[in-house]
Amino acid sequence: MCLSASPRSRSVHPRLPIQVARLGANRANREVQMLDKQTRGAILVLRRKGHSLRLISQLLSLSRQTVKKVIKIGSDVPPVIHRLCKLDAHHERIAQMLAEFDGSVVKVRRALADAGTSVGYSTLTRFCRKNHLLDRARTPRRSVQATRQWLLELVHGAYGGERFHSQLPRTIDLQFLLSKLKHGRSRDRKKAATILARKRGISNSLIAKALLSSRKTTRRYYKMYLQAGPEKLFAWNTTRHIGIEAQYFERTKRIYEIFHHKPTAFGINRTNWTHSALLKAYEQSSGEVISRCTLVRILRRAGFRWRKARRVLTSPDPRYHEKLELLLNTLHHLGENEMSFFLDEWGPTQVRKRGGKAYRNEHVTIPRHQVSRGNVSLVAAISATTNQITWQFLESKDSHAMMDMIEVLYNQYPTKAKLYITWDAVVWHNSGPLLEALDQFNDDTKALSVGPIIELVPLPTSAQFLNVIEGVLSGMTRAVINNSDYSDAAEMKQAISRHLTERNEHFRDNPRRAGKKIWELDFFEDFDALRAGNYKER
């Protein structure tokens, strides 16, 4: 049987419900109110040209209801209709309940429902946000700063009476937790703060941020509290089981015993311990095999690190303590007309291209063999009280050069009664001709009764660490000698003189004594405080 094709009938849509039609009309009204003047003008122009509603809506990406509404009202903007909300009458009551329930919209909704006002959660939330009733910055459940402030107020006793019990449930552990929060040690305070904040309804994430702890730690505290109670939570050790800790202590003790022996005692041909050697010796002595990670953890916890032995300068002088006591006594009892100087030589240093540490963006090489452009030597003396440096360049380091430097100091400070010279124990500092010339110089000064007397305060043998000017000359080397490429000796001398002059100007404007540690320490009460080779503070 063949059926003839019937003409295509026009489909008839069922009528929309009244609520859906109203929603479409409301949506169209909102869209019309949001359109700018140019868009509304374009709709009217296209309509006057005879375009259909469908085409206009497609071109401008608008609904046909909106286009139809614009064509109906013309170029005028439709008035905004403000509809009253049924919650406007409960504005003050909602604000009070939000403050009472700490911003919990759920509790406010339940309280309104109990009072006979039924409202949806989204409607109530939108009403609170529209009227700026939700202040998240002041709500402990939504702000880290508010959580910290609440805990601080809890510590200082700002919450009391009914307000306190309204926020926290009445439990037998409440006073105990408060006591731990106020008077416990650091870890106990964190534990108590975690439990109280969780009872308050604050999330674990906010608690961890407020206490500067990990979320895993605060979660473990609360889980332990729920499972074992506060006694287990506030036990001394909550991170490891007692049996595991005891086993850990025994392993550490065995490793300490191994460290007290050389590797050769365990048949290992080494002079120092390594991880593999320790593991082998541990297995040999205890019969237990441990992993390298466990060994490294034990060593780090015990404070063992790979450290290089430092070579220090020690003094073999048998009169070390006597000479040191003389130096300190001289410095600590300087009169108003007396001055003390630390004197030392520097050089001879060749003038050539030099390397050193510096900020660079490329690799720099220095030729090993270079043609010298000259030599520079100097002798310098620093005042222990004024921190001023006197220097002169030398041709050679000998007794005559030292005597010339003493005459320079004599002429520089003619009004002083005595000048103390402290230098290291090199040959030309203690030579017979120098001592004879110095005695003759002092005799001439006493005969003329003009000028200071020169007195020597020598340092112990190999005790350059006690000479203050050593550090000044080392700083000068780092500043103007390293990374230099001077053309001749005159240019290097000019750079050195400029550096020392600027240093004198700095300490003239900012007075400070030289040799800070020597002035601070009292070696007459505790003489062993300054041992040979251990002058620098560690």
Side-chain angles (χ1 to χ4, degrees):
M1 182 177 181
C2 182
L3 296 177
S4 61
S6 61
R8 188 174 182 179
S9 61
R10 183 178 180 181
S11 61
V12 179
H13 294 280
R15 180 172 296 181
L16 294 174
I18 298 177
Q19 293 182 352
V20 177
R22 288 180 179 177
L23 289 175
N26 292 335
R27 178 185 175 186
N29 289 332
R30 288 194 301 269
E31 290 184 0
V32 171
Q33 294 171 4
M34 294 173 61
L35 293 179
D36 54 3
K37 185 176 181 181
Q38 295 179 353
T39 306
R40 294 195 303 271
I43 293 174
L44 296 177
V45 170
L46 292 173
R47 185 59 175 172
R48 283 196 295 269
K49 290 183 178 181
H51 296 290
S52 63
L53 298 179
R54 181 187 296 274
L55 180 60
I56 296 174
S57 63
Q58 291 178 354
L59 290 175
L60 300 179
S61 299
L62 298 172
S63 64
R64 281 181 288 174
Q65 292 288 341
T66 303
V67 175
K68 187 176 181 180
K69 195 77 173 181
V70 171
I71 294 172
K72 181 178 179 181
I73 64 177
S75 60
D76 296 332
V77 180
V80 180
I81 302 175
H82 296 281
R83 298 182 179 179
L84 297 178
C85 181
K86 65 178 181 180
L87 295 177
D88 290 338
H90 306 282
H91 184 280
E92 295 182 0
R93 186 179 176 186
I94 293 175
Q96 293 177 358
M97 286 190 292
L98 283 173
E100 181 180 354
F101 298 135
D102 295 323
S104 178
V105 181
V106 176
K107 292 184 178 181
V108 173
R109 179 171 174 268
R110 293 174 183 172
L112 289 175
D114 296 338
T117 304
S118 179
V119 64
Y121 176 79
S122 59
T123 304
L124 180 59
T125 305
R126 184 168 58 253
F127 175 80
C128 294
R129 290 176 179 173
K130 181 180 179 181
N131 293 275
H132 306 288
L133 298 178
L134 291 177
D135 192 356
R136 294 181 177 271
R138 296 182 181 180
T139 305
R141 296 181 179 179
R142 292 176 172 83
S143 171
V144 177
Q145 296 296 334
T147 302
R148 291 176 181 170
Q149 183 64 27
W150 180 78
L151 289 173
L152 287 175
E153 292 176 353
L154 210 61
V155 171
H156 297 299
Y159 291 95
E162 295 297 331
R163 184 185 179 188
F164 174 72
H165 291 291
S166 64
Q167 294 181 352
L168 295 174
R170 298 176 182 268
T171 59
I172 58 176
D173 303 330
L174 194 56
Q175 295 301 326
F176 177 73
L177 293 173
L178 286 175
S179 177
K180 288 292 184 181
L181 179 65
K182 295 179 181 179
H183 310 294
R185 58 195 183 99
S186 177
R187 181 178 293 182
D188 290 346
R189 290 198 298 269
K190 281 195 173 184
K191 293 177 182 178
T194 301
I195 305 307
L196 290 172
R198 288 297 295 266
K199 287 180 173 292
R200 175 73 164 73
I202 303 174
S203 65
N204 182 68
S205 177
L206 284 179
I207 295 172
K209 292 179 181 178
L211 299 179
L212 302 179
S213 298
S214 64
R215 288 179 290 180
K216 182 179 179 181
T217 301
T218 53
R219 189 181 297 110
R220 187 177 70 247
Y221 288 162
Y222 190 62
K223 182 179 180 180
M224 188 178 300
Y225 172 79
L226 294 178
Q227 293 178 353
E231 292 79 10
K232 178 65 175 178
L233 175 63
F234 291 96
W236 180 259
N237 186 8
T238 58
T239 56
R240 294 181 177 90
H241 193 269
I242 298 177
I244 299 176
E245 186 68 21
Q247 185 181 6
Y248 189 87
F249 177 77
E250 289 296 329
R251 289 176 177 174
T252 306
K253 185 178 178 181
R254 294 170 189 167
I255 292 176
Y256 283 173
E257 293 177 355
I258 295 175
F259 263 115
H260 287 304
H261 299 83
K262 292 291 184 180
T264 53
F266 297 88
I268 302 173
N269 187 24
R270 290 191 61 87
T271 57
N272 60 341
W273 287 106
T274 60
H275 290 167
S276 57
L278 278 172
L279 291 173
K280 182 178 179 180
Y282 184 85
E283 181 182 359
Q284 180 180 345
S285 60
S286 63
E288 181 186 3
V289 179
I290 60 175
S291 65
R292 184 174 180 177
C293 295
T294 304
L295 176 64
V296 171
R297 192 184 309 114
I298 292 175
L299 294 178
R300 288 181 178 176
R301 187 174 181 181
F304 288 97
R305 298 290 188 275
W306 284 105
R307 293 185 175 94
K308 184 179 180 180
R310 189 180 67 171
R311 298 179 63 184
V312 296
L313 184 63
T314 57
S315 176
D317 197 330
R319 300 176 56 195
Y320 175 82
H321 294 290
E322 179 183 346
K323 293 181 179 180
L324 178 61
E325 185 175 358
L326 176 61
L327 171 62
L328 297 175
N329 192 21
T330 302
L331 289 175
H332 285 214
H333 296 87
L334 282 177
E336 294 182 357
N337 291 328
E338 298 177 346
M339 295 187 69
S340 179
F341 293 90
F342 291 91
L343 189 145
D344 195 19
E345 299 87 9
W346 179 84
T349 301
Q350 291 185 355
V351 181
R352 55 184 175 83
K353 186 177 181 180
R354 293 185 171 273
K357 290 184 178 180
Y359 285 106
R360 297 187 177 96
N361 59 357
E362 58 183 3
H363 183 68
V364 178
T365 58
I366 305 297
R368 180 179 293 273
H369 301 287
Q370 301 184 45
V371 178
S372 177
R373 305 165 190 168
N375 294 316
V376 176
S377 299
L378 64 85
V379 58
I382 183 172
S383 171
T385 53
T386 63
N387 219 328
Q388 297 296 303
I389 294 182
T390 303
W391 73 95
Q392 67 174 358
F393 295 99
L394 306 174
E395 294 297 332
S396 63
K397 297 191 293 185
D398 51 18
S399 300
H400 294 288
M402 296 303 101
M403 199 62 204
D404 293 341
M405 187 63 187
I406 290 175
E407 291 183 2
V408 170
L409 295 175
Y410 176 88
N411 295 325
Q412 190 175 4
Y413 300 96
T415 59
K416 300 297 181 180
K418 185 177 289 188
L419 299 181
Y420 295 96
I421 305 297
T422 300
W423 51 28
D424 48 15
V426 293
V427 177
W428 56 89
H429 289 170
N430 299 319
S431 64
L434 175 64
L435 297 179
E436 292 177 2
L438 185 59
D439 291 339
Q440 183 63 36
F441 187 85
N442 287 332
D443 292 340
D444 295 341
T445 301
K446 292 178 182 178
L448 296 174
S449 300
V450 177
I453 300 298
I454 308 299
E455 184 174 337
L456 299 181
V457 184
L459 291 173
T461 306
S462 300
Q464 293 88 336
F465 49 85
L466 292 175
N467 199 349
V468 177
I469 200 170
E470 290 279 356
V472 178
L473 296 178
S474 176
M476 181 267 294
T477 302
R478 292 193 302 270
V480 297
I481 303 302
N482 293 349
N483 301 292
S484 65
D485 190 11
Y486 297 114
S487 58
D488 53 14
E491 187 178 357
M492 179 181 283
K493 291 179 180 180
Q494 183 179 2
I496 293 173
S497 300
R498 182 178 177 183
H499 173 81
L500 296 178
T501 302
E502 292 175 352
R503 186 187 183 281
N504 285 344
E505 294 176 355
H506 170 77
F507 284 104
R508 193 180 298 116
D509 299 334
N510 305 277
R512 193 182 69 184
R513 296 180 296 188
K516 180 178 179 182
K517 296 300 178 183
I518 294 180
W519 293 99
E520 286 183 355
L521 298 178
D522 190 354
F523 298 94
F524 302 101
E525 294 182 0
D526 187 9
F527 195 81
D528 292 332
L530 183 61
R531 297 184 297 274
N534 194 24
Y535 171 65
K536 292 185 178 180
E537 183 182 13
R538 293 183 180 180

